[in-house]
Amino acid sequence: MIYNSTRDRSVRLTSTEAILKGLSDEGGLFVPEEIPAFKKSLSELSRLDYRELAFEVMYPYLDDFTEAELKACIANAYGDNFDTAEIAPLTYADGVYYLELYHGPTIAFKDMALQILPHLMTTAAEKNNVKNDIVILTATSGDTGKAAMAGFADVPHTRIMVFFPHGGVSDVQRLQMVTQPGGNVSVVSVDGNFDDCQSGVKRIFGDTDFKKELEAKGCQFSSANSINIGRLVPQIVYYVYAYCNLLKNEKIREGDSIDICVPTGNFGNILAAYLAKKMGLPVNRLICASNKNNVLTDFFKSGTYDRNRDFHLTMSPSMDILISSNLERLIYFISGCDDRATSGFMSSLSSKGSYTITEEMKKGLSDFMAGYATEEETASEIRRVYDDTGYIIDTHTGVASAVYRALSDDAGSCPAVIASTASPYKFARSIVEAVSPDITADDRSDMDMIDELEKLTDMPEPKAVSDIKKAEIRHNMHIPADKMKEAVREFLL
Ligand SMILES: *Cc1c(COP(=O)(O)O)cnc(C)c1O
């Protein structure tokens, strides 16, 4: 399998090279030259456990690993570190299936990819004779940072630095990050929002002089953000797994279509669902759900991506994003893999903050539906699901659930899978306020709200939460957005 850059098709890398590099030199993202089809039938795939299925789905994309190497990476990633052997269980509640992607160590779906990425990356480094230390720079809207550190902490020959928006993450998210142990980790809060953090990281990646300076010190950069193909590929697996689960349990027959609805921020998770569909998974509609930061909803409706709008902090902070990086990959695919056109759109995005795709390209959007939910709609959906079934969904999943309900009249009668991306315990305050408005939360701590949540549900408090209650604070660096490069230099030297 060859990987090209979305901004330069003449770039041709193997998967291990693409994983190590993260982002292409001219700023493009790596994309597989072709999308492989499943080699086995869906009913054969439905007899596999998560790890076996992960191998079947991932190997065609990562074929410069040996079979044994990839199997070892998978075995290390999807084991006891998850609190269920199913890894990604499907829960039926009120007419839809919630695909619970939060059973990993940091209780958000980022673990699904970030538990395996460090193994892929260190294996890739060995295979390519890399002697440098790999330095992971990560911008986070709250969940990636912790999940990346949990994956990379104390992994030999790696260092990881995480930037998060000051005041832009939940208390539990912040505490999870600033208590992170490990001799090779650093966590910094930045005055700015997620887009500022992400743009800062991309600028550092594009800084050739700085790269040379690091090279001289025996370091090279890579990325743990969803721009890394090593994150995208593992995310395809659970959509196939969800389908196979429905098939195995005779909820559908082989070939029946399902709808998939994904709470979207950087467009990584839903892009993985799109790739699953292109590999042959029978998916009727991919529903892209946004919160009040609804730049994607407008894009799917009009073909114009326009980030010139107010940025809103919401109760689903991991979706508070106005520049969805992975959309670039979709743009590339629907342009017929036109690197020049894709570069053009992306430079228009960085100079003017907007671009409009062609009429021809708009046809490529027909796989998708899009919608958004306001804060009130999200809260009332969380409450409705709880009142009707006793099942508690988190605020991000609440957005997706609300959007699916609003669109389901048009979505037809397919069974629907909703990606459930975080444990409600990660956002306890918003959840408690949503399901029991009579509890006054204002002057009470987030830890109190966790205790209240525990009373409302039979889902026990996850270990990730009890751990931070007693953990010591290890990181307190706070910088302006234009000082990120200096912070990296200080960390590495
Ligand atoms: C990251 C995240 C999302 C958004 O996923 P993208 O791949 O960025 O679209 C949604 N929900 C939660 C809980 C997340 O952590």
Side-chain angles (χ1 to χ4, degrees):
M1 174 68 78
I2 292 297
Y3 287 84
N4 302 127
S5 162
T6 50
R7 301 189 196 176
D8 181 357
R9 261 189 100 168
S10 70
V11 172
R12 293 172 65 81
L13 300 183
T14 63
S15 72
T16 55
E17 291 167 336
I19 288 170
L20 285 169
K21 252 183 117 65
L23 192 66
S24 190
D25 288 332
E26 72 310 316
L29 309 192
F30 296 118
V31 276
E33 195 165 51
E34 60 200 271
I35 299 173
F38 298 125
K39 298 213 167 47
K40 295 190 170 142
S41 71
L42 289 161
S43 55
E44 284 172 284
L45 293 176
S46 71
R47 288 193 282 273
L48 305 180
D49 69 16
Y50 195 88
R51 295 183 195 189
E52 293 164 338
L53 183 69
F55 179 79
E56 290 297 325
V57 173
M58 290 168 66
Y59 198 56
Y61 289 97
L62 306 177
D63 60 359
D64 61 324
F65 288 79
T66 65
E67 289 195 15
E69 283 166 345
L70 184 58
K71 283 181 179 160
C73 290
I74 290 169
N76 283 320
Y78 305 110
D80 293 348
N81 45 344
F82 281 74
D83 66 14
T84 159
E86 279 190 89
I87 307 294
L90 207 51
T91 296
Y92 182 79
D94 206 25
V96 298
Y97 295 93
Y98 292 94
L99 175 59
E100 296 179 0
L101 302 173
Y102 54 79
H103 290 272
T106 77
I107 59 176
F109 97 93
K110 303 296 194 291
D111 289 327
M112 301 302 296
L114 283 164
Q115 283 296 298
I116 192 166
L117 184 68
H119 301 291
L120 296 176
M121 208 174 267
T122 49
T123 311
E126 273 168 39
K127 292 183 79 73
N128 288 278
N129 265 315
V130 171
K131 299 282 182 284
N132 287 336
D133 278 4
I134 309 277
V135 179
I136 305 293
L137 295 187
T138 293
T140 185
S141 55
D143 292 326
T144 298
K146 177 63 185 182
M149 287 188 291
F152 280 98
D154 291 327
V155 172
H157 304 297
T158 70
R159 311 253 220 135
I160 173 161
M161 189 162 204
V162 168
F163 298 95
F164 72 89
H166 191 75
V169 301
S170 85
D171 242 20
V172 172
Q173 287 178 313
R174 185 180 57 78
L175 281 170
Q176 277 189 305
M177 288 192 278
V178 299
T179 57
Q180 174 67 45
N184 63 340
V185 308
S186 173
V187 183
V188 180
S189 74
V190 175
D191 277 326
N193 59 37
F194 171 72
D195 291 313
D196 298 319
C197 297
Q198 177 157 264
S199 307
V201 166
K202 281 195 173 174
R203 239 188 335 270
I204 297 173
F205 280 144
D207 186 332
T208 336
D209 291 338
F210 194 39
K211 268 193 207 159
K212 286 195 191 120
E213 181 185 330
L214 284 186
E215 189 76 27
K217 302 250 163 9
C219 295
Q220 69 187 59
F221 287 130
S222 190
S223 165
N225 278 98
S226 54
I227 54 175
N228 196 313
I229 198 75
R231 261 192 67 185
L232 201 53
V233 170
Q235 292 180 177
I236 303 169
V237 176
Y238 44 76
Y239 292 110
V240 185
Y241 188 69
Y243 187 95
C244 288
N245 183 326
L246 293 173
L247 192 56
K248 192 168 67 188
N249 290 299
E250 297 178 351
K251 305 294 181 198
I252 55 175
R253 279 176 308 188
E254 184 161 15
D256 286 354
S257 289
I258 59 168
D259 285 327
I260 295 177
C261 180
V262 184
T264 296
N266 226 353
F267 209 73
N269 203 5
I270 193 165
L271 189 73
Y274 175 79
L275 292 176
K277 178 172 185 182
K278 296 294 161 188
M279 291 177 80
L281 196 72
V283 179
N284 177 36
R285 224 90 47 114
L286 294 161
I287 302 167
C288 174
S290 301
N291 65 23
K292 216 171 149 195
N293 296 293
N294 58 356
V295 58
L296 285 165
T297 316
D298 291 346
F299 169 72
F300 281 104
K301 300 226 154 101
S302 67
T304 295
Y305 193 95
D306 187 356
R307 62 153 303 190
N308 300 305
R309 60 182 71 210
D310 290 340
F311 177 85
H312 303 286
L313 287 174
T314 71
M315 62 175 149
S316 45
S318 301
M319 300 161 70
D320 291 344
I321 292 176
L322 291 179
I323 307 176
S324 297
S325 292
N326 272 292
L327 190 66
E328 177 169 347
R329 288 185 164 116
L330 181 68
I331 296 294
Y332 176 81
F333 289 133
I334 65 175
S335 70
C337 303
D338 185 336
D339 52 355
R340 298 261 292 283
T342 308
S343 308
F345 293 130
M346 294 308 132
S347 59
S348 167
L349 180 62
S350 61
S351 59
K352 291 195 309 211
S354 68
Y355 60 86
T356 301
I357 62 173
T358 63
E359 287 305 316
E360 189 57 31
M361 286 170 70
K362 278 188 199 167
K363 294 182 195 150
L365 301 183
S366 63
D367 288 308
F368 293 89
M369 285 178 86
Y372 75 98
T374 63
E375 296 290 271
E376 297 70 32
E377 286 163 345
T378 303
S380 67
E381 175 67 3
I382 293 168
R383 182 168 185 188
R384 192 189 64 77
V385 173
Y386 177 69
D387 286 348
D388 290 357
T389 67
Y391 184 61
I392 294 202
I393 55 178
D394 99 292
T395 47
H396 303 75
T397 311
V399 168
S401 198
V403 167
Y404 175 75
R405 299 286 162 190
L407 295 177
S408 62
D409 289 346
D410 303 335
S413 53
C414 293
V417 169
I418 295 181
S420 180
T421 50
S423 162
Y425 278 99
K426 218 161 181 175
F427 306 95
R429 175 179 299 274
S430 306
I431 305 292
V432 171
E433 284 175 345
V435 301
S436 39
D438 42 313
I439 297 179
T440 37
D442 281 355
D443 47 0
R444 297 174 59 190
S445 74
D446 278 32
M447 292 305 152
D448 269 3
M449 290 298 110
I450 286 171
D451 296 339
E452 291 290 353
L453 180 56
E454 202 168 18
K455 290 181 211 152
L456 295 168
T457 166
D458 42 11
M459 187 193 295
E461 177 185 290
K463 181 170 175 302
V465 170
S466 34
D467 282 353
I468 56 168
K469 286 186 175 165
K470 39 185 201 279
E472 95 186 76
I473 310 272
R474 294 162 187 270
H475 307 270
N476 55 17
M477 201 164 154
H478 176 188
I479 60 168
D482 60 359
K483 290 284 182 290
M484 288 169 60
K485 182 168 149 187
E486 283 69 22
V488 175
R489 193 180 267 131
E490 208 169 296
F491 172 52
L492 294 178
L493 305 188

